Amino acid sequence: MANVKRIKPKRIGNKVVIPCRLSFVHLDAPWSKNDQIEKRYCVSCIVPKDDRETIAAVEVAIEEGKQMGKAGKWNGKIPRLKEGPWYDGDETRDDEAYRNSMYFGANSKTAVPTLNRLQEPIPPQEIYSGCYGVVSVTFFPYAGAANGIGAGLNAVLLTEKGDKLGSGGNAAKDFEGMDLGVDDSLNDL
C-alpha cells in the first residue's frame, strides 16, 4: 500500500473496520461460484502477516462471534466449527497475491455502500480485484447442517487503486510491438 497513510483497524465487539487488499470483488452484482449457493455481493479481504494489529483485531472479532454463538445459537457451548472464516494464504492458496498474508471472504445479500477516501459514494464498478481499501465486516455465528462463523460485509471504502488481480490483462501491452500485418483493407473487420 505505497503512498497511503497507514490506516489503523477499529473493532467494536464482533465488527471490524480494517485496511486490506481486495480480491474476488463482486460489488456491482451478486455472484456465486455455483448454482447451489445463493448469489451475494462479496469480496476477499487480504491482510499482510506483518500487520499484527489488523490480524489481532480480526481474531478478537471472530472470537466475539464465537462467544455470541455460545450464548445463543449454540446452546451454551462452542461446537466443532466448520473451517474458516480466517485462512493462511501460504497454506491454502497458490497465488502470489495471498503470499505472506491472512484472508477471509465477506458477503452480503444486499448491495453495500461503496465509498471513496472522502467517504463519498462511488459506483461499485470503480472497485476491482487488486484495489486497496477499508472494509466494515461483522463476524457472526451460524448453525444448521454445519456450525461456523460467517463474515457479513457492511461497506467498502476505496483507498488506493492497485494492479489488477486475476485473469485478463492490458490488451495494449499484450499486443505491443507485434507485426499483425495490419493494412487499410482490414478496417471493416
Side-chain angles (χ1 to χ4, degrees):
M1 279 195 257
N3 302 326
V4 175
K5 179 182 172 193
R6 169 78 175 100
I7 299 168
K8 292 190 170 282
K10 179 169 122 178
R11 187 186 63 79
I12 307 158
N14 61 324
K15 179 192 276 188
V16 290
V17 181
I18 62 161
C20 62
R21 189 166 195 198
L22 304 170
S23 183
F24 293 99
V25 175
H26 298 280
L27 297 171
D28 59 337
W31 174 85
S32 175
K33 63 182 172 184
N34 66 51
D35 292 338
Q36 280 79 44
I37 300 173
E38 179 183 2
K39 290 183 177 186
R40 301 206 177 186
Y41 298 87
C42 53
V43 298
S44 180
C45 304
I46 305 170
V47 178
K49 286 182 180 175
D50 62 1
D51 187 350
R52 299 301 310 155
E53 189 175 8
T54 298
I55 288 173
V58 170
E59 290 174 349
V60 171
I62 289 170
E63 186 58 37
E64 289 282 335
K66 289 179 184 177
Q67 294 306 316
M68 288 175 60
K70 179 180 178 181
K73 293 180 182 289
W74 301 334
N75 300 317
K77 57 185 171 181
I78 297 176
R80 182 181 183 119
L81 301 176
K82 174 186 160 283
E83 69 177 32
W86 193 221
Y87 302 95
D88 185 325
D90 293 318
E91 295 176 10
T92 60
R93 303 295 305 247
D94 185 20
D95 185 331
E96 185 63 35
Y98 288 80
R99 282 210 191 14
N100 297 315
S101 298
M102 300 293 292
Y103 72 97
F104 63 88
N107 64 69
S108 174
K109 290 181 181 182
T110 60
V112 299
T114 51
L115 310 168
N116 64 20
R117 288 182 69 92
L118 300 174
Q119 298 184 33
E120 300 166 334
I122 59 173
Q125 298 86 347
E126 289 190 27
I127 303 173
Y128 54 84
S129 295
C131 286
Y132 294 88
V134 177
V135 295
S136 171
V137 176
T138 302
F139 290 99
F140 61 91
Y142 62 84
N147 296 309
I149 297 293
L153 183 62
N154 304 315
V156 179
L157 185 144
L158 175 65
T159 57
E160 181 181 357
K161 303 265 182 161
D163 291 337
K164 287 187 177 183
L165 300 176
S167 62
N170 181 324
K173 285 184 181 178
D174 291 348
F175 300 117
E176 182 178 54
M178 291 183 72
D179 181 6
L180 301 173
V182 177
D183 63 34
D184 290 338
S185 66
L186 298 175
N187 285 343
D188 60 343
L189 291 181

